[in-house]
Amino acid sequence: MDDTTPTNVSYKLTRSAGGLWERLQVYWQKKWFRWASYLVGALLLAYLLLWAVLLRNLPDAEALIEYQSPLPTVVRDVDGQPFHSYARERRVQLEYADFKPLLIRSYLAAEDKTFFSHGGIDYVGILGAVFDNIFSSRRSRGASTITQQVAKNLLLTNEYSYTRKIKEAILAYRIENALTKQQILSLYLNEIALGRQAFGVEAAAQAYFGRGADQLQLHEMAFLATLPKAPEKYGREKYEKEAIARRNWVLGEMQNNGWITVAQRDEARAQPLGLISKQGPQFKSSGGYFAEEVRRQLKERFGETSEEGPFSVYSGGLWVRTSMNPRYQDMTTEALRDGLLRYHAGKGWQGPVSNIPMKDGQWQSRFASSNISIDYKDWRMAVALSRQGGGAQIGFASGETGYLTGAPSALKAGDIIAVAPAGGKNWSLRVIPEVGGGMVVQNPLTGRVLAMQGGFDAQLSSFNRATQAMRQPGSTIKPFVYATALDNGMTPTSIIIDGPFCVFQSAALGRKCFRNFGGGGGSGPHTMRWGLEQSRNLMTVRAANDSGMKNVADTFRSMNIGDYPPYLAFALGAGDTTVLKMTNAYSMLVNHGRELKPTVIDFVQSRNGKVIWPTRWKPCDGCNAKDWDGKAMPRFKPGGKQVMDPVTAYQVVHMLEGVVQRGTATILRDLDRPIFGKTGTSTGPTNVWFVGGAPNLVAGVYLGYDKPRNMGGYAQGGSLAAPIFKQFARKAFVGQVALPFTAPNGVRLVRVDRVSGKRVYGAWPSDDPKGAVIWEAFKAETEPKRSIRQEELAARGDKPKKRAAAAQKPKETSNGSTAAAPTTNQRDQEFLNKEGGIY
């Protein structure tokens, strides 16, 4: 090795840049490769832009597989018959097999005759739409297939733009891959908007022809197929010629496609449209206030719209079974209305229901949009157009006009009034009572509300006075004061002073003195029963004071009447409550003091038939069996906690029967069956009440102005409210056995003197309601005792057997004949005469 040769050698390894990169550089020199690369890049960029603008937020077409149409909620009565529905749109959902083939073909002819052959997109139609948008100001013609319309209606908005059309086409392609043709058509025919607030073919058939889609004739099917083109146009009378022309075109397309014969086409073309002007009510008008209470409870539980949950009131398609008895509901409505009219009779016209502007002559549209109507006999709501002589020209929401005879001088144009037919085009004024009221009918064993009326007409005022109006109950609260007294040592025969009673309430409230209804200082000592029957305020206040007003307030609270402070004025009904709460409290008395919660809904089913409320609902297997199967009958345990001693509750009911027999509700006595109840009149008087009923039915009713004011000095519960209950009860009790109120274990029925309350031996209660002797209910060991003199005890102890034998031995009379031994009643009568009468 040479000395000049370096001793340290370093090496640097590098990778060659050849291979793929060199080959790309070689290809890049070629023109065709560069253009291909530009094209691929452009496509990738276009896809990214398409994803960012269109595909990123595009709805999932797979969702349509589980799609459920927004359907109305149907409400049924206790017999299962529908009587109301909650809907903002007319919708009825059908299966594909329910649509007649000719009906399907009519829509295919009008909208998409190649539906069963294309893949969701009509490319020729799309090109035509683009051309129209570029070279014409009008909307494109026939660009969307039925699949695209389903995509637009269910997954997209109604915005008209190129972006929406592209999204529509993409979704249509995806829908065709996700659903069958039959599923797509079913969605379309159930969802398409067809005017008159009808969505879907079945709802449109009802709206335009008043019958179901399965009953339509060929020319009617063809007309419905014209509606997707202009749903708010062809159904109007002024566009009848255009509608007929469009219908005939559809019939021609059906014949061209071989779906109908020429003869069928010509026969259908010769038919008139045959549209009904307005669809009649779907259900019998009944229970408007009841249905509104059901709607309110459903809304609180499930929400109002689909955004609030799948079981919402207006789109969940619920089936609701209620406790409404249609027979009782009609009776309740009639009785309350008649009572309101009786009170208002002779008071004259109080003014219009409402008023609309009349300056520009658009009275019909304004009147129709006000939605003011009435459902009573043949009455109708009308608007005054102008004065004419002694009457006035009036108009109706339909556009009809008539003449009002004898119009009041205060009537002016724009006033909305109630009228009734008077022959020809003449109408007479009707007065809607200004006074309001509410009535509730309840089953006292279950708490189910059987009927409810919250005013004169639900279409005039949705304010439900049966559940929403807070009113002073007056004397109807007194039974619960006496119930507290019974729980604190008193009995129905306890003597209470009916006399002046004053109490120092506080430094702020000062001294308070009470008085009876109508004034007066009282009538002295009487039994508790008499005080309740005659509704004596002074005795009630004294009983409340002796029992402790805090205890009385606790009773009010436990019976769910109201949560009041412990002031004596509340013992006379000064606190506010509702007629539903008072009716329920009386029902709890009949139910032996066991808690009841008033219910209007029995159960709620989803659109698929599953019971979703109550959550723990179970069917009663065997309850409706035709014949007995030999097994034990279903038994239900009583629900609710015990909120009042059952004997106390019965004692109060027993005393309240006396209110009907001898007290303030004697107007009900001739119903000739066991009835209990209590009248009430609040200070003013501003409200009049009656609450009561029979063992199987309890009702409550009140009358009063919405803004409380004096009803007149003659207004009392016994003269105004009780007759309303009587009118209802006369019909409701037809065919029912007159059953007595059942007494719980522990009740002792004892004969007492009605006036003094002392126990009676040897005499019996009679059918005379004012007889001296009555049965009275006592708790064990609280009934009055009979006092016996010491000398009588000694005499009886000497020779009881000889006395008994002597009593049985016939006595010889002065003429030598024998007389029969005195009976037990005769001996008792002799004893009573000897001791100075009954005590």
Side-chain angles (χ1 to χ4, degrees):
M1 179 179 292
D2 196 313
D3 292 338
T4 61
T5 302
T7 58
N8 296 322
V9 180
S10 62
Y11 298 94
K12 183 178 182 181
L13 298 176
T14 61
R15 290 185 177 180
S16 173
L20 179 60
W21 177 249
E22 287 183 347
R23 286 197 296 272
L24 287 175
Q25 286 182 327
V26 172
Y27 283 122
W28 189 257
Q29 302 303 320
K30 302 179 183 296
K31 187 175 182 180
W32 67 268
F33 184 80
R34 290 198 305 273
W35 280 105
S37 299
Y38 292 148
L39 179 60
V40 171
L43 290 174
L44 288 173
L45 180 61
Y47 179 79
L48 289 174
L49 290 174
L50 182 66
W51 178 84
V53 176
L54 298 175
L55 302 180
R56 183 176 51 148
N57 296 319
L58 206 60
D60 184 9
E62 298 282 344
L64 291 179
I65 298 176
E66 302 296 329
Y67 175 79
Q68 291 186 322
S69 301
L71 296 177
T73 290
V74 178
V75 185
R76 296 172 177 267
D77 61 26
V78 71
D79 299 321
Q81 297 300 314
F83 72 93
H84 199 85
S85 68
Y86 309 119
R88 289 175 178 156
E89 300 169 344
R90 290 191 179 117
R91 288 183 185 270
V92 180
Q93 191 171 17
L94 300 179
E95 298 295 332
Y96 181 78
D98 296 327
F99 297 107
K100 284 187 174 181
L102 269 184
L103 180 62
I104 294 174
R105 288 169 179 170
S106 66
Y107 277 92
L108 295 181
E111 297 294 318
D112 190 357
K113 63 183 179 182
T114 62
F115 172 76
F116 281 101
S117 60
H118 65 62
I121 304 172
D122 181 2
Y123 295 102
V124 176
I126 292 177
L127 291 176
V130 173
F131 181 85
D132 282 350
N133 275 332
I134 295 174
F135 299 103
S136 175
S137 59
R138 62 186 176 89
R139 288 179 67 120
S140 61
R141 51 175 176 79
S144 296
T145 64
I146 283 179
T147 311
Q148 287 176 276
Q149 292 182 56
V150 169
K152 179 188 72 173
N153 294 337
L154 301 184
L155 300 176
L156 299 172
T157 65
N158 203 32
E159 170 199 8
Y160 192 76
S161 66
Y162 289 121
T163 302
R164 199 265 293 162
K165 294 295 290 184
I166 296 172
K167 289 182 179 179
E168 187 181 287
I170 296 171
L171 282 174
Y173 176 77
R174 292 182 177 180
I175 290 172
E176 290 280 348
N177 289 325
L179 305 178
T180 66
K181 289 288 188 178
Q182 289 77 14
Q183 288 174 318
I184 296 170
L185 261 179
S186 182
L187 283 171
Y188 176 78
L189 294 174
N190 279 315
E191 292 295 322
I192 189 69
L194 298 175
R196 294 195 181 185
Q197 294 183 316
F199 289 78
V201 174
E202 177 65 20
Q206 295 285 353
Y208 289 99
F209 299 108
R211 55 183 185 276
D214 60 335
Q215 299 175 322
L216 296 180
Q217 299 179 29
L218 176 59
H219 69 281
E220 296 168 333
M221 298 178 190
F223 168 78
L224 292 184
T226 70
L227 295 174
K229 180 81 172 176
E232 297 300 333
K233 175 181 178 181
Y234 291 133
R236 298 189 178 185
E237 185 178 351
K238 64 179 180 179
Y239 295 111
E240 182 179 2
K241 291 183 179 179
E242 290 86 344
I244 291 177
R246 175 72 178 172
R247 180 202 66 181
N248 292 345
W249 175 83
V250 172
L251 291 167
E253 290 296 301
M254 294 180 71
Q255 189 271 320
N256 293 337
N257 284 285
W259 294 332
I260 59 174
T261 65
V262 173
Q264 286 178 303
R265 180 200 66 186
D266 293 342
E267 181 183 359
R269 282 180 171 178
Q271 300 295 326
L273 286 181
L275 308 183
I276 61 175
S277 58
K278 182 181 179 182
Q279 184 183 13
Q282 187 177 3
F283 305 115
K284 176 188 174 184
S285 178
S286 178
Y289 286 105
F290 197 108
E292 176 58 23
E293 179 63 19
V294 172
R295 188 198 70 84
R296 186 187 65 80
Q297 294 189 18
L298 291 174
K299 178 183 174 183
E300 290 179 358
R301 185 170 297 276
F302 299 113
E304 191 170 3
T305 60
S306 56
E307 289 77 15
E308 299 177 69
F311 305 126
S312 59
V313 175
Y314 288 101
S315 60
L318 304 179
W319 290 69
V320 183
R321 177 67 70 90
T322 72
S323 56
M324 191 195 85
N325 183 311
R327 179 169 164 264
Y328 287 168
Q329 181 62 51
D330 291 344
M331 295 174 186
T332 300
T333 302
E334 181 183 19
L336 181 62
R337 282 175 167 175
D338 289 350
L340 296 173
L341 288 170
R342 279 195 302 270
Y343 172 77
H344 198 80
K347 291 182 170 58
W349 188 62
Q350 302 294 315
V353 174
S354 187
N355 191 280
I356 59 173
M358 298 289 290
K359 292 182 180 179
D360 55 3
Q362 300 296 320
W363 63 268
Q364 182 185 352
S365 59
R366 284 198 182 93
F367 185 30
S369 62
S370 69
N371 293 319
I372 298 176
S373 59
I374 191 169
D375 177 32
Y376 180 67
K377 295 185 177 180
D378 58 354
W379 293 16
R380 292 180 65 182
M381 301 306 296
V383 59
L385 303 179
S386 62
R387 302 280 312 190
Q388 288 186 4
Q393 190 76 11
I394 57 174
F396 301 94
S398 61
E400 305 171 63
T401 59
Y403 182 74
L404 178 67
T405 59
S409 58
L411 183 70
K412 60 183 184 299
D415 285 347
I416 297 176
I417 55 176
V419 297
K425 286 195 172 184
N426 293 329
W427 299 80
S428 57
L429 184 68
R430 290 292 181 266
V431 178
I432 297 173
E434 188 180 7
V435 68
M439 185 171 179
V440 171
V441 180
Q442 186 179 26
N443 184 323
L445 305 180
T446 63
R448 298 167 73 220
V449 176
L450 307 177
M452 177 187 297
Q453 185 70 10
F456 188 79
D457 195 314
Q459 297 182 21
L460 288 174
S461 170
S462 61
F463 179 64
N464 191 340
R465 295 157 188 84
T467 61
Q468 295 174 296
M470 300 297 293
R471 295 291 182 267
Q472 292 183 353
S475 295
T476 58
I477 208 169
K478 289 178 180 177
F480 305 97
V481 177
Y482 289 114
T484 309
L486 292 171
D487 280 338
N488 285 273
M490 291 189 181
T491 72
T493 57
S494 293
I495 299 299
I496 306 173
I497 302 298
D498 181 28
F501 185 83
C502 298
V503 62
F504 181 78
Q505 301 180 103
S506 66
L509 297 175
R511 183 178 175 84
K512 168 72 174 178
C513 290
F514 296 89
R515 62 184 179 87
N516 285 317
F517 181 82
S523 58
H526 292 281
T527 63
M528 176 192 289
R529 168 181 282 278
W530 186 88
L532 181 56
E533 290 179 354
Q534 304 303 320
S535 196
R536 306 298 285 181
N537 289 349
L538 293 174
M539 295 178 68
T540 306
V541 171
R542 197 177 295 272
N545 186 68
D546 292 347
S547 305
M549 191 58 208
K550 182 180 182 302
N551 295 327
V552 174
D554 289 342
T555 299
F556 294 160
R557 190 179 304 109
S558 65
M559 301 299 283
N560 198 31
I561 296 172
D563 191 356
Y564 309 132
Y567 300 142
L568 287 174
F570 290 97
L572 300 179
D576 288 339
T577 188
T578 67
V579 68
L580 177 62
K581 288 183 177 181
M582 288 304 300
T583 305
N584 189 67
Y586 275 68
S587 290
M588 284 193 271
L589 293 176
V590 179
N591 199 37
H592 295 167
R594 189 172 289 276
E595 182 185 36
L596 293 173
K597 294 187 181 299
T599 60
V600 295
I601 300 173
D602 287 347
F603 59 87
V604 180
Q605 293 174 277
S606 70
R607 67 176 70 200
N608 299 319
K610 180 182 178 182
V611 175
I612 58 176
W613 188 84
T615 54
R616 304 174 77 176
W617 182 89
K618 292 182 179 179
C620 179
D621 296 328
C623 285
N624 294 323
K626 184 177 181 181
D627 298 310
W628 182 44
D629 58 4
K631 298 180 181 179
M633 294 179 64
R635 300 291 182 186
F636 297 94
K637 294 181 179 179
K641 60 184 179 181
Q642 198 74 44
V643 295
M644 180 182 287
D645 183 282
V647 178
T648 298
Y650 178 77
Q651 286 178 297
V652 174
V653 170
H654 193 59
M655 287 192 290
L656 289 174
E657 289 186 84
V659 174
V660 175
Q661 293 299 313
R662 297 171 287 278
T664 58
T666 54
I667 191 175
L668 305 176
R669 188 195 299 161
D670 61 1
L671 289 174
D672 196 25
R673 63 175 52 239
I675 295 285
F676 85 119
K678 184 72 185 74
T679 59
T681 307
S682 60
T683 303
T686 56
N687 300 285
V688 293
W689 290 71
F690 175 81
V691 188
N696 63 333
L697 184 149
V698 172
V701 57
Y702 95 92
L703 269 66
Y705 291 98
D706 289 344
K707 293 182 178 179
R709 68 173 193 257
N710 195 308
M711 296 180 66
Y714 64 92
Q716 295 183 33
S719 59
L720 293 179
I724 295 175
F725 171 82
K726 184 176 183 178
Q727 180 179 341
F728 163 79
R730 278 198 183 281
K731 296 181 179 179
F733 291 141
V734 170
Q736 294 187 15
V737 178
L739 297 173
F741 291 93
T742 58
N745 292 332
V747 171
R748 296 194 178 184
L749 289 173
V750 176
R751 289 168 287 163
V752 300
D753 174 53
R754 181 173 60 84
V755 176
S756 68
K758 292 183 178 181
R759 191 164 185 172
V760 171
Y761 291 88
W764 295 86
S766 66
D767 294 333
D768 181 7
K770 295 188 177 181
V773 181
I774 62 171
W775 288 108
E776 193 59 88
F778 295 93
K779 296 175 182 176
E781 304 302 326
T782 67
E783 63 270 24
K785 301 296 187 289
R786 172 181 173 179
S787 62
I788 302 179
R789 297 179 180 180
Q790 294 296 325
E791 58 268 24
E792 183 182 0
L793 288 175
R796 289 184 178 180
D798 288 340
K799 298 177 181 179
K801 292 184 179 180
K802 289 184 178 180
R803 282 203 321 274
Q808 297 296 327
K809 184 178 179 180
K811 294 183 179 180
E812 186 175 335
T813 60
S814 58
N815 58 8
S817 62
T818 58
T823 64
T824 303
N825 285 345
Q826 288 173 334
R827 291 197 300 272
D828 286 344
Q829 187 63 44
E830 291 173 0
F831 169 80
L832 292 172
N833 291 335
K834 179 181 177 182
E835 298 298 324
I838 298 173
Y839 65 94

